[in-house]
Amino acid sequence: MNFDFATRIDRRQHPTKKWQQYDEDVLPLWVADMDFRSPPAVLDALESRVEHGVFGYGGVPESLKQALNDWSRHHYDWTIDTAWQLWVPGVVPALNLAAMAFSEPGQGVLTATPIYPPFLSVADNVGREAQTFELAEPVTAGGPWRLDLEALEAAIQPNTRVLLWCHPHNPTGRVWSADELQGLARLAVRHDLIVVSDELHCDLILDPSQPHRPLGQLCPELADRLITLWAPSKTFNIAGLSAACAIIADDDLRRRFQIAAAGLMPGVNVLGLSASLAAYTDCEAWRQALLGELRDNLAMVEAHVSRWPGVTMSTPEATYLAWLDFRHSALADSPQQHLLEEARVALSDGADFGWPGFVRLNFGMPRSWLEEALLRLDRLLSD
């Protein structure tokens, strides 16, 4: 089937965070949503649900739970149970709820930097102690970021209770190796940590040689201390429909999560439920076409970055996000601000991820828009 990833869609006609944060002459390549239309099957499902005309309090259909079970087994060889699934309005609320449910006030919530900014505010949001450690930078320019297990263990304090983990990783695009994940699991067991694994980008693998392995599948010894967060939102570009799933195998952990959510977490958007079911049952061909488009876009980004003195990037193995190191460039002091003011391209500021001197670039957009943005950056950055 042929899918349209080329049409530019005017997103300013509706209020949208990505396109209305900056002036109209700015090309926004920052917040992590794509500028492609959602899959036709998703749009058809939404049209059918809207035609019904009633939008009262909904429930999670068994067909959706079974669809996620089937998706997990088919794509990741991980057998999950419908009873493990707690559908929630989003991954970020789930991160905060997990920290609240599985730690006490003053206890530590640990995460690695650089990291998607909402991770860094979880501890303060729920009255816990924020704890961080640094990922290991690439050994060579453009190489992969790595999990430094010694740094992780050194950061674990007597009061550390929850580890927030991102797999595949946002912003570096890293798909963690089995050795890294198994090492993390050993430390979690040794130090009695609850692990919250955000696997939001798992269906966006760009490097076929680096397949995603769910932490729960690779490390079954974590079953009584693991919360896995999944959602179709990034892959199928339906983030605004607010539907995600916390997968919790352990009965006690699941009960505690439900208690924490009671009265604080609303039910999942009824349109989000319909869109999620369509995504997991009828959109695999679209997803594969999307991955081809993203790989071509990534190649374009890499070609342009190679022309920019002092700028490097590690090739992302997953996601539609590129993590650019400007620390050795002429714009090292504040690259995001320079690029915004002088090139009129909006990227995400690395300081918000805990690493100043970097920017994150979203290449999930029609190629003509991406090329226009990269040419603007060329004029500022090239020799």
Side-chain angles (χ1 to χ4, degrees):
M1 296 180 64
N2 293 320
F3 300 103
D4 180 9
F5 296 103
T7 298
R8 296 187 183 197
I9 299 169
D10 178 12
R11 296 187 61 189
R12 293 185 186 274
Q13 63 182 295
H14 300 292
T16 174
K17 184 175 183 178
K18 183 176 184 179
W19 283 85
Q20 292 178 330
Q21 180 82 5
Y22 298 101
D23 295 336
E24 289 195 15
D25 67 324
V26 172
L27 281 174
L29 280 66
W30 65 293
V31 69
D33 71 13
M34 296 186 290
D35 293 307
F36 304 125
R37 282 174 65 87
S38 295
V42 166
L43 300 180
D44 290 344
L46 291 172
E47 182 178 2
S48 176
R49 184 64 182 86
V50 169
E51 181 64 25
H52 180 265
V54 179
F55 307 104
Y57 299 118
V60 181
E62 288 300 313
S63 56
L64 174 55
K65 294 180 180 180
Q66 187 58 51
L68 186 56
N69 288 353
D70 294 344
W71 186 273
S72 177
R73 183 177 61 255
H74 176 73
H75 291 285
Y76 305 113
D77 194 29
W78 186 27
T79 300
I80 62 175
D81 192 282
T82 55
W84 301 358
Q85 298 182 31
L86 297 177
W87 282 80
V88 294
V91 165
V92 171
L95 290 170
N96 286 268
L97 272 174
M100 185 186 308
F102 305 122
S103 65
E104 298 295 332
Q107 289 185 324
V109 175
L110 176 63
T111 196
T113 64
I115 191 61
Y116 174 53
F119 275 61
L120 296 175
S121 60
V122 166
D124 288 341
N125 289 344
V126 299
R128 275 52 171 175
E129 180 182 311
Q131 299 171 343
T132 62
F133 70 99
E134 293 186 349
L135 296 174
E137 292 193 55
V139 175
T140 58
W145 290 70
R146 294 166 293 110
L147 167 58
D148 184 338
L149 291 170
E150 291 184 358
L152 168 56
E153 185 159 36
I156 298 171
Q157 303 300 312
N159 71 336
T160 306
R161 188 68 189 114
V162 174
L163 172 63
L164 303 180
W165 185 241
C166 190
H167 164 53
H169 189 252
N170 176 2
T172 68
R174 180 71 202 285
V175 177
W176 303 110
S177 70
D179 286 345
E180 289 169 314
L181 295 173
Q182 288 164 343
L184 180 149
R186 286 192 296 272
L187 292 179
V189 172
R190 182 184 307 161
H191 294 280
D192 193 24
L193 303 181
I194 301 295
V195 181
V196 185
S197 183
D198 170 2
E199 304 191 12
L200 190 58
H201 291 271
C202 66
D203 300 318
L204 291 168
I205 301 298
L206 301 179
D207 183 349
S209 71
Q210 302 294 331
H212 177 72
R213 297 285 301 275
L215 195 54
Q217 185 266 357
L218 182 67
C219 304
E221 67 272 23
L222 292 180
D224 63 350
R225 61 180 68 251
L226 177 65
I227 296 88
T228 300
L229 302 178
W230 272 2
S233 53
K234 299 299 183 185
T235 303
F236 302 100
N237 207 28
I238 54 174
L241 295 179
S242 301
C245 188
I247 302 168
I248 310 175
D250 184 80
D251 292 340
D252 180 61
L253 289 188
R254 195 165 58 251
R255 178 187 60 81
R256 290 164 64 187
F257 188 91
Q258 288 176 299
I259 290 171
L264 294 178
M265 185 82 82
V268 180
N269 182 302
V270 293
L271 296 182
L273 294 171
S274 295
S276 298
L277 177 58
Y280 285 131
T281 55
D282 296 319
C283 296
E284 178 60 8
W286 185 91
R287 184 178 76 98
Q288 291 300 328
L290 169 70
L291 290 173
E293 199 73 16
L294 293 178
R295 289 169 183 136
D296 289 345
N297 281 3
L298 172 58
M300 178 186 291
V301 172
E302 290 184 300
H304 282 264
V305 172
S306 69
R307 307 169 192 165
W308 303 342
V311 181
T312 59
M313 65 174 279
S314 298
T315 300
E317 298 160 338
T319 80
Y320 45 80
L321 307 167
W323 184 238
L324 308 182
D325 184 353
F326 274 77
R327 291 173 300 175
H328 304 291
S329 75
L331 309 185
D333 59 324
S334 183
Q336 188 273 345
Q337 196 64 28
H338 283 292
L339 299 176
L340 175 61
E341 293 177 356
E342 299 171 42
R344 307 307 285 166
V345 176
L347 306 181
S348 297
D349 191 343
D352 296 334
F353 299 74
W355 282 63
F358 286 77
V359 295
R360 192 191 70 179
L361 182 153
N362 174 352
F363 54 87
M365 63 194 321
R367 195 157 304 138
S368 62
W369 256 337
L370 178 62
E371 184 175 27
E372 182 179 341
L374 292 170
L375 289 174
R376 290 187 188 187
L377 296 175
D378 274 350
R379 287 191 285 271
L380 177 63
L381 299 172
S382 294
D383 286 332

